[in-house]
């Protein structure tokens, strides 16, 4: 069988691998500096093979972001299923988000700056995925405000929280003294103005984005 046909036949198995490699390279090198040859080399393909799976480098970027956000959303829903107390739910949301970001292979939050390379339709898909991801967060913040535990649940509060959590990707060290449970508790304490000892939001499964 010709090599080109053999590679095309690998499509169902290589799509996810391509997305992971592309997202990692876009973060490390930047979208403009990353070539399709770089992506193909990272997964052991010929330079043109990624186009069996994706029409363009832009589609790779858009798909990596949308599917990364949707996978994270599914993980959030599973983690908070049945949790009615909004404070406990917030701790789990934060810990789950940090786990996805720092323990798995989720690059979606770090790719936001690269979306300038995408067209309006791709921006709309990404915005819809981000809106879905934010829903359980906003619901939880609203409940905390209504219970008097949070001064404001306005949209900037939610976005500042995401900015703070996503920024940990730049400085958090897995081999450092601070565990992810402790980091999650610190973030929640900062948001809610807590000074008391908190129970870590443990038990979150380690699932890649």
């Amino acid at each position: 069988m010709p090599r080109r046909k053999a590679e095309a036949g690998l499509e169902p198995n290589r799509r996810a691998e391509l997305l992971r490699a592309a997202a990692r390279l876009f973060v490390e090198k930047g979208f403009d500096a990353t070539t399709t040859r770089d992506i193909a080399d990272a997964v052991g393909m010929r330079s043109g093979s990624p186009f069996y799976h994706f029409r363009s480098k832009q589609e790779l970027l858009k798909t990596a972001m949308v599917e990364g956000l949707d996978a994270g959303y599914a993980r959030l829903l599973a983690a908070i299923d049945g949790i009615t107390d909004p404070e406990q739910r917030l701790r789990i949301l934060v810990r789950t988000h940090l786990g996805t970001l720092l323990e798995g292979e989720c690059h979606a939050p770090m790719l936001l700056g690269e979306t300038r390379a995408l067209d309006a339709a791709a921006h709309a898909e990404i915005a819809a995925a981000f809106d879905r991801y934010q829903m359980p967060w906003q619901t939880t913040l609203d409940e905390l405000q209504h219970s008097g535990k949070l001064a404001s649940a306005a949209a900037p509060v939610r976005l500042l929280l995401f900015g703070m959590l996503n920024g940990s990707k730049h400085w958090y060290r897995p081999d450092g003294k601070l565990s992810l449970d402790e980091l999650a508790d610190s973030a929640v304490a900062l948001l809610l103005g807590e000074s008391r000892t908190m129970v870590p939001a443990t038990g979150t499964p380690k699932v890649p984005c």
Side-chain angles (χ1 to χ4, degrees):
M1 179 185 295
R3 184 176 179 183
R4 192 171 180 83
K5 288 186 178 180
E7 287 178 342
L10 293 175
E11 182 170 354
N13 299 323
R14 305 305 297 273
R15 184 178 182 279
E17 189 179 359
L18 276 170
L19 282 173
R20 287 194 299 270
R24 176 178 56 79
L25 288 168
F26 292 154
V27 169
E28 292 176 356
K29 300 179 63 173
F31 179 80
D32 293 334
T34 300
T35 66
T36 53
R37 179 178 292 277
D38 293 332
I39 298 168
D41 287 346
V43 294
M45 284 185 169
R46 296 175 64 181
S47 59
S49 296
F51 295 113
Y52 284 118
H53 309 264
F54 302 96
R55 290 171 295 181
S56 64
K57 195 171 68 165
Q58 284 79 6
E59 187 181 10
L60 267 168
L61 174 60
K62 183 263 294 184
T63 305
M65 294 195 67
V66 170
E67 293 193 6
L69 287 166
D70 282 345
Y73 175 58
R75 188 184 181 209
L76 285 182
L77 293 184
I80 63 173
D81 183 41
I83 306 299
T84 58
D85 176 63
E87 187 172 348
Q88 182 185 5
R89 196 186 316 132
L90 178 64
R91 296 185 196 287
I92 294 173
L93 286 171
V94 169
R95 177 59 179 85
T96 303
H97 183 84
L98 288 172
T100 297
L101 186 68
L102 300 173
E103 293 178 321
E105 296 182 343
C106 181
H107 299 288
M110 312 309 295
L111 291 172
L112 290 174
E114 302 296 339
T115 57
R116 64 186 181 279
L118 302 178
D119 60 19
H123 277 278
E125 284 191 56
I126 293 168
F130 189 48
D131 286 346
R132 288 190 292 273
Y133 189 82
Q134 293 181 89
M135 286 191 295
W137 296 81
Q138 190 60 56
T139 297
T140 300
L141 295 177
D142 288 339
E143 291 179 17
L144 287 166
Q145 182 183 15
H146 293 155
S147 67
K149 294 182 178 180
L150 182 66
S152 172
V157 174
R158 183 189 70 246
L159 296 174
L160 286 168
L161 175 59
F162 281 141
M164 175 177 68
L165 297 177
N166 292 344
S168 65
K169 184 79 172 180
H170 297 291
W171 55 263
Y172 180 76
R173 290 172 43 204
D175 59 346
K177 295 182 179 179
L178 188 67
S179 71
L180 284 189
D181 290 331
E182 292 169 328
L183 179 58
D185 285 341
S186 296
V188 173
L190 181 63
L191 184 66
L192 299 183
E194 296 175 339
S195 59
R196 65 182 183 275
T197 302
M198 296 173 291
V199 178
T202 56
T204 303
K206 183 175 178 179
V207 180
C209 179

